[in-house]
Amino acid sequence: MSRSPLAIAAVTATALLGGCASAPPPATTASRPVAIAPVDSAPPAPTDGLSASFHTAFDSADTRARSIAYWLQCVPTIARLRADGSFGAAARAPRGIYCQRTADGVPIGVVYDVDSAFNAVRRVQALRLDTRAAYAEPLDTALLLRAIKLARDVSAQVSPQWAQRRRPFSVVPITTANAATEAWVIPRATKARSVVTGGDVGYAAPASGRTPTLLEDRTTTWTQLNLAPTGTVRLYSSTREVPAVSDLVTARYYAELGRPVTVSTPAVISELSSGFDAATGSRIVWKHTPAQR
């Protein structure tokens, strides 16, 4: 999977939603919904002097960030594989792209077509990104449809405001550990060698009706910073304690590129560095320090 520093900037909101085409619907098989990795149900007692409620809230935001960072890396990879013919002749391959991890952590890239009313997905194909082999297990197409429809609705809702402000963004759908569907508007930098802090917006799929439910709105905190070519990536979040989801996405991205990362709020300084997280299998871990007062 490519990890170019331009990977995040390459993803557009329209690429997430894909095109629309018609074909006979495939037979579907019910399966367990795929969820983002849950936090450890019995984490060790914190030794950094911070409250258990901080750790719970931080882990929840970071779980979302891991899924979003994976999506932003996965989508351009699937686009390249589709162009290279991995899903059949590129001109005739399904246009929509969807990325997920299975319940046991297998990275999956999916292409699909969807009708104009977003009532059914068709021509669904999937690859394992770890092996580039076809993924033969059943896919939950109902979950896929719910996620891409929410992303479409959120994109339509925020596009006028973001276009007026000339701020590019990506809409990323995720499924939480309790099987809720969310979509996050993740801002992208407007110039090279820059990062955006804050500015993200989160929505949940509506329980009824058609309007997505607003979870978080940090559009007023959007700030663009120059990115140093080497050394520690330092991010300053506008939130009081737990950093914004978009800040944790950026932190995860650059940490996986080998850069030390520090995310600061007025209350806490969080450092992402080499280690091992037994709950997620990640080779990088967070270390929190209360800010000096």
Side-chain angles (χ1 to χ4, degrees):
M1 182 181 302
S2 172
R3 299 211 173 167
S4 165
L6 298 180
I8 292 181
V11 183
T12 65
T14 52
L16 301 184
L17 302 180
C20 301
S22 298
T28 59
T29 304
S31 63
R32 181 174 59 179
V34 175
I36 56 180
V39 299
D40 190 350
S41 58
T47 59
D48 49 26
L50 296 167
S51 67
S53 61
F54 165 82
H55 284 275
T56 298
F58 189 99
D59 289 346
S60 179
D62 188 46
T63 296
R64 289 175 169 85
R66 292 201 312 272
S67 293
I68 294 168
Y70 164 66
W71 174 285
L72 294 176
Q73 295 171 16
C74 166
V75 166
T77 298
I78 296 302
R80 287 192 295 271
L81 290 173
R82 183 178 60 193
D84 291 342
S86 297
F87 299 97
R92 296 190 296 274
R95 306 306 299 170
I97 296 176
Y98 183 77
C99 294
Q100 65 183 45
R101 288 186 186 273
T102 65
D104 54 355
V106 176
I108 303 297
V110 180
V111 295
Y112 64 90
D113 286 330
V114 64
D115 66 288
S116 59
F118 277 65
N119 289 324
V121 290
R122 305 182 175 108
R123 297 204 301 156
V124 178
Q125 300 180 52
L127 286 179
R128 288 184 57 138
L129 297 183
D130 54 349
T131 64
R132 298 295 194 267
Y135 183 71
E137 298 298 320
L139 292 172
D140 189 338
T141 54
L143 174 64
L144 188 157
L145 183 63
R146 186 165 65 250
I148 62 175
K149 184 178 185 303
L150 177 62
R152 187 277 308 262
D153 292 345
V154 167
S155 182
Q157 183 168 322
V158 305
S159 287
Q161 180 185 30
W162 285 62
Q164 185 179 24
R165 294 178 176 180
R166 298 183 179 179
R167 294 179 182 174
F169 65 93
S170 297
V171 178
V172 180
I174 63 174
T175 301
T176 64
N178 62 357
T181 301
E182 298 178 359
W184 285 82
V185 183
I186 304 299
R188 302 200 315 273
T190 62
K191 59 183 181 179
R193 295 183 294 278
S194 300
V195 294
V196 173
T197 63
D200 53 331
V201 189
Y203 291 89
S208 60
R210 298 182 178 180
T211 304
T213 301
L214 181 65
L215 298 173
E216 297 283 355
D217 185 353
R218 302 188 183 97
T219 52
T220 61
T221 67
W222 187 99
T223 303
Q224 188 162 240
L225 305 173
N226 292 329
L227 177 66
T230 59
T232 300
V233 177
R234 301 185 186 279
L235 306 172
Y236 300 92
S237 191
S238 64
T239 53
R240 173 60 190 164
E241 290 189 344
V242 176
V245 169
S246 59
D247 298 337
L248 296 177
V249 170
T250 302
R252 286 279 175 185
Y253 177 77
Y254 283 102
E256 291 182 5
L257 292 178
R259 298 280 296 271
V261 179
T262 297
V263 184
S264 298
T265 67
V268 181
I269 300 171
S270 301
E271 177 186 2
L272 194 55
S273 57
S274 298
F276 179 71
D277 185 342
T280 65
S282 176
R283 296 292 175 179
I284 49 179
V285 295
W286 286 104
K287 297 178 181 178
H288 306 291
T289 305
Q292 296 293 329
R293 297 178 182 177

